[in-house]
Amino acid sequence: MFAASAASRDSEFTEFVESATSSLGRTAYLLTGDRELAADLVQEALVRTYVAWRRVRRGEALGYARRTLVNLNIDRWRRRPAVPAESVDGVAESGESSVDDRDQVVRALAALPAQQRRVIVLRYLDDLTEAGVAEHLGISVGAVKSACSRGLAAMRRAAVLTEEESVR
Amino acid sequence: MTDVEQNLRSELHIAAAEYELELDADRLLEAGRSARRTRSAHRMVLGLILALAISLTGVVAAPRIVAAILEKQTVEFTEAFSWNGTRAEFDQFTARLVDEDGVNRLTVTAYRDQKEVAAVTQELPGTGASRFRLGSRTVVAVFPGEVASLDIVSDASHGTQLSWASAFDRTIAIGMFFEPVKAPEGLDWLWLDGAGTLRHADDAPVPSATITLNGVAHLVYRNDRTDELGLWQWSRFSLKDYAETDLLHGGMSRQSDSGSVSWQDGVLPVGAHDVQVTVSRPDGAWGSAVLPDGTVVVLATVPVETDTIITGFSYLRADGTRVSHGR
């Protein structure tokens, strides 16, 4: 009987993995700017979600996994300095000719302070409300608004600078 | 959403779309099962190490955990309380948690002088926490998840011995109190889950934030049910009759082999911003955070034993007025 229950639980979790991996992967990629690191983060977040699967309410599993992923990334940033914008996943090595719009966005994100980057990604990639972002990050809605405003301004500045450089 | 925000949203989705991650679900499941087994065992081993470490200090004869995973569906562990044995109703416990087709039943047996003197069996709710009393001074609590750390935050916590172990994604904690506990559900237990969220016993999140000082992360929280400000696993105090100038006085110190440290924490009015703090030493550090409920928390530390940690502070009220205290 227990085996049947465990099989059912594993089946549910497998379905969740198949539906959530892509979304979590994209969030992790924009948070880290690093493909391999993003994959590691998603795997660890999903393993922790599996461990907690019984108490993860259906319909909230993606939120739980995403919160865990963001927390794992925060821990990572506490342990080591931020990745310099120039070394984001090989973008710098590729030279100016291969820097397309997508790289530009990833690079501009990587240059943001960590908190602003987390807020921007959760708010505009994952389409969370300001309250949802606040709940994910354990900060106030006011802090989310502030980080959003500063992050947006920085992203705009970064985009302008890049355009000017490419004209020269 | 403004045009700028819409534009950014589109750009982020385009940038992220080039990253397509595929994971092997079977390998992930195996890793998850392994993590579940490892974490359960880790908690128990950690309990043994902690108990031994505390016993060696001579401060308190700590509970000893003897744990064994009997079979896949059953986890059993024993708590032996050698502390205050003459007053304790029990000096040993066995907690047996059985999972039968998703239904968890917990049997706690209490012993005194190696004789069974009490036992109770409860079917645990599918979700949420539960607590029940055994005898007059022992409370068994079940938390809906794997606990990273746990604390009882009420006056009844004085003279408490507390141990816990996890299995089947639940955590069973046994607390023994000096004084009789009339209503176990009235005890406020806080616990930190694996995702780093601080929670009440019933799973509700506690407003909390991390302040990092000198590279060390500190979790500060406001217990909205007891109106206390806490520094997780370190200190807590009541905000009743609290005045912001309390930041200039008192504080707490701790000595250890690696040196002394003193710290001070307090709150500022909701809406306070542009906080500036002066600490008593150049090698001190301070930080502030806004909790999800709007509480503004200040935390400062200096690496010596002293009563003077913060010598002055200022902030802007929500209306823009500057408030200053001290030097």
Side-chain angles (χ1 to χ4, degrees):
Chain A
M1 295 294 281
F2 177 76
S5 174
S8 168
R9 188 171 61 221
D10 288 357
S11 172
E12 283 179 4
F13 182 75
T14 301
E15 282 180 27
F16 167 70
V17 168
E18 287 167 354
S19 66
T21 296
S22 180
S23 170
L24 292 171
R26 290 170 182 183
T27 300
Y29 176 53
L30 291 193
L31 283 176
T32 63
D34 184 303
R35 293 165 189 275
E36 290 185 7
L37 190 56
D40 288 347
L41 274 178
V42 173
Q43 287 181 67
E44 179 61 20
L46 286 171
V47 166
R48 292 189 185 205
T49 303
Y50 176 81
V51 171
W53 190 245
R54 184 166 301 186
R55 62 181 289 265
V56 176
R57 295 173 183 86
R58 300 302 169 261
E60 296 180 8
L62 181 59
Y64 184 93
R66 191 164 47 213
R67 245 189 324 272
T68 303
L69 187 151
V70 172
N71 273 316
L72 286 168
N73 192 45
I74 290 172
D75 288 343
R76 182 182 70 84
W77 281 92
R78 284 182 191 137
R79 285 198 297 270
R80 65 184 224 189
V83 178
E86 296 75 28
S87 65
V88 173
D89 204 26
V91 169
E93 291 82 346
S94 60
E96 70 276 38
S97 60
S98 63
V99 178
D100 63 12
D101 290 346
R102 291 172 300 183
D103 297 328
Q104 187 179 315
V105 171
V106 175
R107 190 161 55 175
L109 267 176
L112 292 180
Q115 182 82 311
Q116 285 178 26
R117 180 168 55 255
R118 287 192 284 269
V119 168
I120 292 287
V121 170
L122 292 176
R123 180 84 177 94
Y124 299 113
L125 178 71
D126 292 316
D127 289 329
L128 298 185
T129 62
E130 289 174 337
V133 176
E135 196 266 330
H136 261 65
L137 297 178
I139 60 177
S140 69
V141 172
V144 171
K145 288 181 176 176
S146 171
C148 255
S149 171
R150 292 174 184 174
L152 274 169
M155 293 287 284
R156 292 178 76 181
R157 281 196 302 273
V160 168
L161 276 174
T162 307
E163 283 169 14
E164 287 174 351
E165 286 168 359
S166 64
V167 169
R168 290 184 203 128
Chain B
M1 201 172 272
T2 64
D3 288 347
V4 173
E5 288 175 305
Q6 285 286 9
N7 190 28
L8 175 62
R9 182 176 177 278
S10 300
E11 288 184 350
L12 289 182
H13 279 269
I14 291 168
E18 70 162 334
Y19 182 73
E20 198 57 49
L21 177 64
E22 290 183 14
L23 296 176
D24 184 328
D26 290 336
R27 290 182 64 182
L28 208 55
L29 274 175
E30 187 52 44
R33 293 187 194 111
S34 174
R36 178 177 279 170
R37 287 192 297 269
T38 302
R39 287 173 196 195
S40 295
H42 173 70
R43 299 273 183 269
M44 295 165 183
V45 171
L46 183 64
L48 270 173
I49 294 168
L50 285 174
L52 180 61
I54 297 171
S55 293
L56 289 174
T57 66
V59 175
V60 59
R64 182 168 54 86
I65 296 179
V66 180
I69 298 175
L70 301 179
E71 52 184 297
K72 277 188 179 177
Q73 296 96 326
T74 305
V75 167
E76 186 167 349
F77 65 96
T78 302
E79 300 280 304
F81 292 88
S82 54
W83 159 79
N84 198 25
T86 55
R87 290 185 59 195
E89 298 163 284
F90 317 118
D91 56 18
Q92 193 173 54
F93 299 91
T94 299
R96 185 182 179 87
L97 178 61
V98 179
D99 184 313
E100 292 177 353
D101 196 19
V103 176
N104 284 184
R105 286 189 184 80
L106 175 65
T107 300
V108 177
T109 308
Y111 301 84
R112 170 90 190 216
D113 299 326
Q114 299 184 323
K115 292 178 182 172
E116 180 181 327
V117 290
V120 62
T121 297
Q122 296 244 334
E123 183 174 309
L124 303 179
T127 59
S130 61
R131 280 161 283 179
F132 56 91
R133 196 175 58 192
L134 191 62
S136 63
R137 296 202 297 270
T138 301
V139 174
V140 178
V142 182
F143 297 90
E146 292 208 350
V147 168
S149 55
L150 172 67
D151 201 4
I152 299 175
V153 285
S154 68
D155 289 338
S157 64
H158 298 305
T160 305
Q161 289 198 27
L162 181 63
S163 285
W164 68 91
S166 299
F168 305 134
D169 197 38
R170 292 183 188 267
T171 296
I172 303 160
I174 297 179
M176 184 183 280
F177 299 81
F178 258 135
E179 303 297 331
V181 179
K182 291 179 181 173
E185 63 276 8
L187 293 174
D188 196 14
W189 308 57
L190 299 187
W191 57 288
L192 194 66
D193 72 12
T197 302
L198 192 63
R199 297 179 181 281
H200 288 285
D202 60 9
D203 216 18
V206 179
S208 61
T210 299
I211 297 177
T212 301
L213 302 180
N214 292 332
V216 179
H218 302 274
L219 185 67
V220 294
Y221 66 91
R222 183 169 189 165
N223 188 333
D224 42 346
R225 298 180 184 175
T226 60
D227 200 23
E228 291 179 320
L229 181 71
L231 185 58
W232 182 241
Q233 302 269 286
W234 278 75
S235 64
R236 59 189 168 85
F237 66 89
S238 172
L239 292 171
K240 187 183 177 186
D241 300 324
Y242 174 80
E244 63 190 40
T245 49
D246 290 351
L247 273 169
L248 298 172
H249 312 288
M252 298 187 73
S253 298
R254 195 176 84 156
Q255 291 178 304
S256 70
D257 292 340
S258 56
S260 299
V261 62
S262 300
W263 70 97
Q264 176 69 284
D265 53 349
V267 299
L268 299 176
V270 171
H273 56 286
D274 192 22
V275 179
Q276 302 295 326
V277 173
T278 306
V279 293
S280 59
R281 290 172 56 95
D283 52 359
W286 68 275
S288 65
V290 181
L291 306 188
D293 65 351
T295 301
V296 181
V297 181
V298 173
L299 175 67
T301 181
V302 291
V304 293
E305 193 172 353
T306 175
D307 284 333
T308 306
I309 297 135
I310 295 176
T311 56
F313 66 94
S314 72
Y315 64 90
L316 287 177
R317 283 192 185 126
D319 65 6
T321 311
R322 169 71 61 185
V323 178
S324 299
H325 296 287
R327 291 180 277 127

